[in-house]
């Protein structure tokens, strides 16, 4: 089972980019973020004609997540549940969608997420980011009780380690790299979740995002913020994980590139 997570930065702007990518790379499942479209205007039929089942949780002009699957897709739920404690209230941002994909050998629960950016930090947007991460941790804890393969994939807006930024000093005060953000990410991992790519590739210099400004792509001034976190049962099925860096050099690219996970499922 070949899974990809991809922040497409707008389906209207990049429909042809996504369509070509699906035709060339043929993921079994594509988990998309920042579709920037309500469910009714997402080009569902065009992807269905390509053989994909489509589940969306959209929002006008920003946010929005989707799962496209060539495998059977069941039990779709939308929205991150409320969490415990202050700041744990549910919200109307379209940032989370879950579904179960049925592989040849194994069913896998997929959680496609677009975690808040949080800037400027400190401030209300940063508080929202941290409370959202606490809600995600509560949901992950609940899903782990299933003792089944669960995959949490998407744009986390988190730079986990120094090695995940070409210029880490430039990000020290940014919400993506602040110590509170990285600590919240580690609390997710402490539940027993495996960070797929970094487990298989410990070397620095691998990024999934390059800003459109200041020649970031040309200078390889990137950061790694798109991740797969895996339950123990999913980690046992992992055979490969990689970043499709070359997608950033294609025509009309997103500022993110796809990140891949291969499971024996």
């Amino acid at each position: 089972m070949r899974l990809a997570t991809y922040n497409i930065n707008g389906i209207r702007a990049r429909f042809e980019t996504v369509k070509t990518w699906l035709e060339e790379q043929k993921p079994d499942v594509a988990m998309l973020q920042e579709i920037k479209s309500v469910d009714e205007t997402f080009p569902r039929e065009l992807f269905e004609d390509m053989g994909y089942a489509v589940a969306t949780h959209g929002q006008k002009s920003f946010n929005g997540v989707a799962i496209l699957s060539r495998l059977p897709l069941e039990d779709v739920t939308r929205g991150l549940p409320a969490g415990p404690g202050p700041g744990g209230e549910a919200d109307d941002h379209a940032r989370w969608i879950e579904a179960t994909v049925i592989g040849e050998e194994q069913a896998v629960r997929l959680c496609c997420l677009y975690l808040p950016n949080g800037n400027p930090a400190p401030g209300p947007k940063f508080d929202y980011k941290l409370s959202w991460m606490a809600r995600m941790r509560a949901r992950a804890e609940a899903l782990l009780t299933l003792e089944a393969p669960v995959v949490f994939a998407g744009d986390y807006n988190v730079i986990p380690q120094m090695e995940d930024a070409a210029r880490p000093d430039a990000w020290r005060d940014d919400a993506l790299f602040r110590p509170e953000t990285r600590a919240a990410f580690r609390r997710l991992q402490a539940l027993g979740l495996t960070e797929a790519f970094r487990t298989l590739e410990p070397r620095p210099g691998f990024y999934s995002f390059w800003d459109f400004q200041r020649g970031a792509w040309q200078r390889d001034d990137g950061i790694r913020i798109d991740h797969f976190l895996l339950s123990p049962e999913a980690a046992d099925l992992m055979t490969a994980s990689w970043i499709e860096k070359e997608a950033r050099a294609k025509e009309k690219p997103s500022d993110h590139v796809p990140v891949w996970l291969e499971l024996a499922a």
Side-chain angles (χ1 to χ4, degrees):
M1 183 186 296
R2 295 171 74 244
L3 314 173
T5 178
Y6 191 6
N7 181 320
I8 62 173
N9 198 359
I11 190 62
R12 288 188 180 182
R14 290 182 180 79
F15 171 74
E16 290 298 332
T17 301
V18 175
K19 178 177 178 290
T20 300
W21 172 72
L22 291 171
E23 290 171 341
E24 292 178 351
Q25 300 298 331
K26 297 178 171 59
D28 293 316
V29 181
M31 288 169 278
L32 309 180
Q33 302 88 43
E34 275 202 280
I35 62 173
K36 299 181 180 179
S37 164
V38 295
D39 296 339
E40 293 76 16
T41 60
F42 189 82
R44 171 186 303 271
E45 294 81 6
L46 298 174
F47 291 125
E48 290 175 340
D49 290 344
M50 297 175 66
Y52 285 92
V54 178
T56 61
H57 182 34
Q59 187 171 347
K60 186 177 180 180
S61 301
F62 65 107
N63 297 335
V65 286
I67 300 175
L68 280 55
S69 178
R70 300 199 302 176
L71 300 170
L73 203 60
E74 300 178 351
D75 190 20
V76 177
T77 60
R78 296 167 176 85
L80 185 62
E89 298 83 6
D91 61 76
D92 58 0
H93 284 202
R95 297 182 176 274
W96 182 277
I97 188 169
E98 291 182 27
T100 298
V101 63
I102 310 300
E104 293 182 5
E105 304 290 338
Q106 187 82 52
V108 180
R109 188 67 177 169
L110 304 177
C111 303
C112 174
L113 64 107
Y114 175 45
L115 204 148
N117 177 287
N119 281 303
K125 290 185 177 181
F126 189 56
D127 294 341
Y128 171 62
K129 180 188 186 96
L130 296 179
S131 68
W132 201 97
M133 294 182 79
R135 287 166 54 204
M136 178 182 169
R137 187 180 186 278
R139 180 58 183 157
E141 198 166 18
L143 288 170
L144 288 173
T145 64
L146 301 175
E147 298 185 353
V150 184
V151 172
F152 303 89
D155 176 1
Y156 280 71
N157 273 313
V158 174
I159 305 168
Q161 301 170 188
M162 297 272 287
E163 296 83 356
D164 297 316
R167 295 183 301 122
D169 285 344
W171 294 90
R172 289 196 181 277
D173 295 326
D174 194 281
L176 279 63
F177 195 51
R178 285 181 65 95
E180 303 96 321
T181 300
R182 289 184 286 141
F185 189 77
R186 288 194 299 271
R187 284 193 290 273
L188 279 169
Q189 292 177 289
L191 294 174
L193 300 179
T194 296
E195 206 259 273
F197 178 80
R198 186 53 76 201
T199 297
L200 298 176
E201 178 50 82
R203 296 175 298 169
F206 294 89
Y207 313 122
S208 64
F209 171 91
W210 296 260
D211 197 287
F212 285 131
Q213 308 299 319
R214 300 180 295 278
W217 165 245
Q218 291 76 10
R219 295 184 291 109
D220 198 22
D221 184 12
I223 54 177
R224 193 177 69 89
I225 57 175
D226 302 87
H227 311 299
F228 283 96
L229 292 183
L230 312 179
S231 72
E233 294 79 10
D236 287 344
L237 300 173
M238 179 172 63
T239 57
S241 182
W242 66 96
I243 298 173
E244 191 186 334
K245 182 178 181 179
E246 57 272 21
R248 187 64 169 77
K250 299 274 179 88
E251 186 176 353
K252 205 167 186 181
S254 171
D255 42 7
H256 296 250
V257 296
V259 180
W260 290 80
L261 173 70
E262 193 169 79
L263 298 177

